[in-house]
Amino acid sequence: MIESLAVATPAQALALLSLPQEELFVRATALREAAFGRNIVLCAIINAKSGNCSMDCRFCSQSRHNHTPIEVFPLLPDEELRQRILQLAALPVARIGVVTSGSALSGSELQRLAKVIAALPDNVRPRVCASLGKLAAQDFAQLSQSGLTRFHHNLETARSYYSSVCTTQTWDQRRETVLRACESGMSVCSGGLFGLGESWEDRVNFAFSLKELEVGHVPMNFLHPHPETPLAGQQALSASEALTLIAIFRHILPTATLRICGGRPLVLGDRQGEIFAAGANALMTGDYLTTHGQSIAHDLEMIAALGLEVKCDASC
């Protein structure tokens, strides 16, 4: 099934855009079910350090180059971070992401976080992920020794389009961080943001870059235009285009977890339930970093109504 429906080249992927959306969804659903059955995975995140980022990403509310009115705070105190992890661990989420702003954590911050992770209960620690920016090999070694098993680091968009949205770090530097995480033995969660003005060719090439890196977990975010950022006036994607994008990624990455994250309520609205027909098998529940998301109660109800089941397993 997977071999007959998946695509092997960018040209084949772009050709799928000519299909009626209903037919595209039938194919994408078949691919999702072949790889994951009827299981859906949830994750949730903690904004553990907010704002004042030196990066100049044109879409980001946390960049110091932009002036979006958000809450700015340093790395959360250890006990507060621990309690927030434990609160999320009581919910049916497979993964709990600790996310920090900035190009990278400092050495002292990294040590603090590693100690918090190491001290977590044995049944919670394997469910923790971290998104901490550009780290060196020794940083990954330290985190791995603390018990961290998955690292998140988005490539954001295609190499060909990246310089249009960020100049303080190159796409290749982001790729090198992903490779270092892989070399440390961690599983990697890496995806990006769509609706930045990129072309369909950019999107497809981006998906093939993730395929080349053998990324197993791909977060898909849709631009939520933030005030006082260079992309504040960018038109958000339509629900139809976002759903087609998910389906194209499923055809290129037939066995990867496709996790629908930021921008979901804004872009998809009352069509959020269609993400699974389009091929997604995971979603981020609750609030995002600086915008509101969907409550876990709402997401659980939506998933159950579609006859799907939530899988709460740290291996997801």
Side-chain angles (χ1 to χ4, degrees):
M1 173 65 74
I2 289 178
E3 292 77 8
S4 63
L5 293 177
V7 297
T9 67
Q12 290 175 341
L14 290 168
L16 293 173
L17 293 171
S18 64
L19 295 178
Q21 192 170 72
E22 181 179 356
E23 182 179 345
L24 186 64
F25 283 10
V26 169
R27 292 170 55 102
T29 296
L31 284 167
R32 173 181 59 77
E33 291 183 344
F36 305 102
R38 303 187 69 77
N39 292 322
I40 303 300
V41 178
L42 302 182
C43 77
I45 60 172
I46 297 167
N47 187 2
K49 178 184 178 183
S50 181
N52 200 32
C53 177
S54 62
M55 301 278 286
D56 68 352
C57 302
R58 290 167 55 83
F59 54 82
C60 187
S61 61
Q62 299 202 61
S63 170
R64 71 171 64 144
H65 298 266
N66 304 326
H67 304 286
T68 306
I70 63 165
E71 186 179 5
V72 177
F73 53 84
L75 184 64
L76 294 175
D78 296 2
E79 185 56 28
E80 181 178 353
L81 182 55
R82 171 184 168 85
Q83 289 305 317
R84 291 186 63 177
I85 292 172
L86 294 177
Q87 287 169 4
L88 290 177
L91 303 175
V93 295
R95 284 282 175 168
I96 302 157
V98 177
V99 185
T100 59
S101 65
S103 60
L105 281 190
S106 68
S108 60
E109 290 172 327
L110 196 72
Q111 289 178 351
R112 282 181 51 203
L113 179 58
K115 289 179 179 178
V116 170
I117 293 170
L120 290 169
D122 291 344
N123 63 337
V124 173
R125 191 183 312 108
R127 296 164 63 188
V128 176
C129 311
S131 181
L132 313 174
K134 182 173 61 177
L135 301 184
Q138 60 267 28
D139 299 325
F140 284 112
Q142 181 178 5
L143 290 169
S144 182
Q145 290 170 4
S146 75
L148 190 74
T149 58
R150 182 173 299 162
F151 192 76
H152 167 266
H153 192 70
N154 281 343
L155 296 178
E156 300 299 8
T157 188
R159 176 192 269 116
S160 56
Y161 195 71
Y162 184 82
S163 62
S164 298
V165 294
C166 182
T167 65
T168 48
Q169 185 174 192
T170 68
W171 190 91
D172 287 314
Q173 286 174 320
R174 285 188 171 274
R175 181 178 182 274
E176 288 164 8
T177 299
V178 170
L179 289 173
R180 281 194 291 271
C182 292
E183 290 166 359
S184 76
M186 292 186 190
S187 67
V188 173
C189 181
S190 182
L193 180 61
F194 304 94
L196 301 170
E198 75 284 350
S199 67
W200 272 106
E201 287 79 7
D202 291 325
R203 295 167 180 173
V204 165
N205 289 335
F206 178 34
F208 275 96
S209 293
L210 295 170
K211 187 180 184 73
E212 178 186 355
L213 288 168
E214 299 182 343
V215 172
H217 303 268
V218 179
M220 300 182 71
N221 301 276
F222 306 113
L223 179 68
H224 185 142
H226 292 288
E228 304 300 325
T229 66
L231 294 183
Q234 182 81 9
Q235 181 68 39
L237 292 181
S238 69
S240 181
E241 185 172 5
L243 290 165
T244 296
L245 178 54
I246 296 168
I248 297 297
F249 264 57
R250 175 51 71 205
H251 282 77
I252 299 169
L253 301 161
T255 60
T257 286
L258 298 185
R259 191 181 311 277
I260 311 308
C261 301
R264 173 164 62 99
L266 173 71
V267 169
L268 294 171
D270 60 6
R271 297 187 67 182
Q272 291 180 58
E274 294 181 52
I275 64 173
F276 308 115
N281 67 297
L283 56 83
M284 182 180 290
T285 192
D287 290 337
Y288 308 119
L289 293 175
T290 62
T291 58
H292 293 300
Q294 204 77 55
S295 73
I296 188 168
H298 178 280
D299 286 337
L300 291 172
E301 182 179 353
M302 175 180 69
I303 292 166
L306 294 168
L308 303 171
E309 299 179 1
V310 172
K311 183 179 181 181
C312 188
D313 186 327
S315 66
C316 297

